[in-house]
Every structure is written in C-alpha cells, then in structure tokens.
C-alpha cells in the first residue's frame, strides 16, 4: 500500500530486476503519473487475495484501471511488462487486457459491485 501513487495506481518497471530493488519511478516514461495498468492490476490481485481492509486504496486502484480503459475496451500498451534472466525485457501484449479484467473482477467479488464507484470522501 505504501507504493500506491496519488492517481490510485501502482507502478514499477523492469529495472528492478537487474537493480534488485524497487523502481519507484519506473513507469514515469511508460505509464500514467508513475502508474501502469499491469502493475496496478497485480497489486489489486495481491491485495484482494489477502482481503486487504483498506477499501479506499482498493477503490482508488479500481478507479484508476477504469479510467485508463480505452474506448475500444482495451487498455494502453505501456512498455515492458516482463523480464527473464535479469536482462531480457519482453512485452506480453495480452497482459494489458487480461490482468485489469481479472483484477476488477476479483475486487468486485471480494469487495462488492460498488468498489468501482466514485469515492464519496474525495469530493472536489
């Protein structure tokens, strides 16, 4: 939770694999405000599996994904989403669609259908 960005998402990039440390600014070049749809989806999947009690954080993450969805129904491709051998970056183009759908569905199942609704405590 401590790495959630102000826009509700989470972000990191492949440099954490070879640096062996969290890359807090990794999605600055590829994502949106330091967040990315795949990273946010992974965070939401983990938090919902653990039944995280911080509902506001979950709701912000779900809203981030919903706002990033394109009019075509896809999510944007945001750079490298996988690494192997610590140095070979690969992009799985299906990740940008599979993981957000899975994460939103899991959050709805765990937290209820209103988890994607507008935050009532973030008015104006």
């Amino acid at each position: 939770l401590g790495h959630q960005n102000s826009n509700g998402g989470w972000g990191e990039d492949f440099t954490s694999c070879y640096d062996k440390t969290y890359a807090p600014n990794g999605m600055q070049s590829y994502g949106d405000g330091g967040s990315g749809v795949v990273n946010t989806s992974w965070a939401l999947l983990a938090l919902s599996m653990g039944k995280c009690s911080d509902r506001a954080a979950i709701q912000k993450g779900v809203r981030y994904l919903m706002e990033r969805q394109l009019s075509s129904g896809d999510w944007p491709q945001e750079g490298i989403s996988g690494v192997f051998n610590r140095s070979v970056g690969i992009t799985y183009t299906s990740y940008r669609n599979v993981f957000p759908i899975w994460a939103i569905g899991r959050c709805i199942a765990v937290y209820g259908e209103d988890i994607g609704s507008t935050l009532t405590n973030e008015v104006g």
Side-chain angles (χ1 to χ4, degrees):
L1 289 172
H3 293 295
Q4 188 173 27
N5 294 314
S6 60
N7 63 10
W10 284 266
E12 183 181 28
D13 78 357
F14 64 94
T15 59
S16 62
C17 291
Y18 56 81
D19 290 341
K20 295 185 180 183
T21 186
Y22 175 68
N25 298 317
M27 287 303 293
Q28 291 295 337
S29 297
Y30 306 108
D32 173 50
S35 299
V37 295
V38 173
N39 299 112
T40 299
S41 299
W42 288 341
L44 288 171
L45 285 166
L47 292 168
S48 62
M49 281 299 293
K51 298 198 175 28
C52 174
S53 62
D54 189 341
R55 186 177 173 84
I58 301 299
Q59 194 169 31
K60 288 177 187 177
V62 170
R63 290 296 310 162
Y64 172 80
L65 291 179
M66 292 171 69
E67 290 168 2
R68 294 287 291 154
Q69 190 173 23
L70 305 172
S71 61
S72 66
D74 286 349
W75 277 268
Q77 185 65 45
E78 299 176 323
I80 297 169
S81 56
V83 173
F84 65 95
N85 294 335
R86 289 184 49 216
S87 63
V88 181
I90 44 181
T91 298
Y92 299 104
T93 56
S94 62
Y95 276 27
R96 67 188 167 110
N97 293 315
V98 171
F99 285 107
I101 291 168
W102 185 4
I104 291 170
R106 167 77 53 76
C107 288
I108 288 171
V110 172
Y111 299 100
E113 290 186 22
D114 65 331
I115 197 66
S117 64
T118 303
L119 295 169
T120 56
N121 60 351
E122 284 195 358
V123 175

